[in-house]
Every structure is written in structure tokens, then in C-alpha cells.
Amino acid sequence: MAHMATRVSDAGAGETKPQLPGSGKLQTRDYITIGVYTVLYFVLISVAAGVTHVIPVGMPLTGFACGLFGGIPYMMVAAKSHRFGAITIMGILLAVLMGAMHGNYYTIATAVAASVGADLIAWAGRYRSLNVNIISAGVFNLWSIGMFLPFYIGRNDYLGALTAKNGAQYSAGLAGLFPGWVLPALPVLGVLGGVLGAWFAKLVIRKHFEKAGLV
């Protein structure tokens, strides 16, 4: 009897408790998912930025457009991983890509900060609440503010560099798009674009979310 009790005890000790959503370490497949959807996200926001730059007064709407276009890959990362850190890594990768392409250190800082904040919000809903994930998408899209901070931090130096590179007319045109009152509008547009993009993603790929038990 004692021998049987020992066997039962050993068997129980070997059992693994199910992990709660949002807990546990990232696995290899999580990193693959993050990489694939970050690349897709970057391609889509590049298209969004291209569209707004073609429109004469569209540049201040770039953050809004990036949120709209990037909603699906963001929501897929949140839905597929279910682990803290996935969204943060996505933001860090985005920061590296943006920094390498544009050399804007403000964007690197805002991308890292926004991704950590978004990850914490999604984690609060254990990555299984679509509504919470949609809110986190709005916060994640605040990374876009960094693209335009040079117009407000060190403005004269930045405009001087633009003038030297592209001419006074080009520099004056951009300066006119970003007066002081536009600055508080940028985070509002960023959050709104991120939320709407995630909501649209919810409609487009609802079947995937249903399969994952998110709705």
C-alpha cells in the first residue's frame, strides 16, 4: 500500500498544471509569428505613409492611416501568441526598422514605450478579450507620434537640416503642416486610427478569432 501511495504521489508530482493565458515564456513559434506579422505590419504602414504623403496636406494624418492599415497584423500577433512580450518585441522590431530607415530616434523611443504599454493592456485581458486588444492597438499606434516630434523638439535645427537638404520651399511647406496646435491632435489621431484599424481587423478575420476562442 505504501508503495502504491508513493507511485500515485510521484505521478501527481509529474503532472503539469495548465498555464493561464498571458503567462509562460514565448516559444519558437511565437517568435516566428512576431517576425512574420511585424514584416507585414511594416509593409502596410509604409503603404499608408505613402498614401498620406501623396496628399498635399495629408502628412499629419500619417499616424491615423498607419493605425488603419496595421490593424490586422497587430491583432493577429495578440491573438496568436497569448504571451506577454510578443507585442513588446513587435514594437522593438518596428523601432529598429524605423530607426534604420529614417534615423529618427524619437520614433525608436515612442515605439518601445507604446509597445510595452499596449502589451500590458492586452495582458490585463489575458489576450483573450477582443475589446481590450482593440484598446491596446490604439495605444500601440502611439509610436507614430515620434515621426513628427522633430517638428516640435529642436524644431529650428530640424527645419534647418531640411532646408539644407531639400530647399527652403520644401522646408517651409512642411513647417506649415505642423504648427503648435497640431501636436495635441497627433496622439488623438494615433489612438483613433489604431482602434478603428483593430475594429476593422475584428470584422475581417472574425472566424479566426472565433476559432481561437476570443469571441
Side-chain angles (χ1 to χ4, degrees):
M1 292 290 292
H3 179 64
M4 292 179 62
T6 301
R7 290 174 60 186
V8 171
S9 177
D10 291 341
E15 292 178 355
T16 57
K17 295 181 180 180
Q19 292 182 340
L20 293 173
S23 63
K25 295 181 179 180
L26 293 170
Q27 306 298 320
T28 301
R29 66 178 183 179
D30 294 314
Y31 292 110
I32 295 173
T33 297
I34 296 166
V36 169
Y37 284 109
T38 299
V39 171
L40 177 59
Y41 182 90
F42 186 74
V43 170
L44 290 174
I45 65 172
S46 296
V47 173
V51 171
T52 58
H53 282 55
V54 170
I55 303 172
V57 294
M59 192 177 292
L61 299 175
T62 301
F64 177 80
C66 286
L68 287 180
F69 280 62
I72 290 178
Y74 175 85
M75 291 293 282
M76 290 300 293
V77 169
K80 281 181 168 289
S81 177
H82 292 165
R83 292 178 174 88
F84 183 81
I87 294 172
T88 298
I89 293 174
M90 183 180 184
I92 292 173
L93 291 175
L94 176 64
V96 171
L97 290 170
M98 295 297 290
M101 288 192 64
H102 304 290
N104 183 342
Y105 300 110
Y106 296 117
T107 305
I108 296 175
T110 54
V112 173
S115 62
V116 173
D119 215 347
L120 288 170
I121 291 173
W123 176 83
R126 294 298 185 265
Y127 302 94
R128 291 190 175 277
S129 170
L130 270 180
N131 290 333
V132 174
N133 287 352
I134 288 173
I135 294 172
S136 76
V139 173
F140 182 83
N141 200 46
L142 286 172
W143 71 263
S144 60
I145 299 173
M147 292 188 289
F148 307 112
L149 285 182
F151 286 105
Y152 302 100
I153 303 175
R155 179 182 177 92
N156 291 335
D157 292 338
Y158 182 65
L159 292 176
L162 286 178
T163 299
K165 184 177 180 180
N166 300 300
Q169 184 176 358
Y170 176 83
S171 175
L174 287 184
L177 293 177
F178 294 97
W181 64 266
V182 170
L183 179 58
L186 294 177
V188 175
L189 289 170
V191 171
L192 182 60
V195 168
L196 290 177
W199 177 78
F200 178 72
K202 171 184 174 180
L203 300 180
V204 172
I205 50 179
R206 187 177 182 85
K207 288 185 178 180
H208 173 83
F209 292 141
E210 289 175 345
K211 185 178 180 180
L214 298 179
V215 290

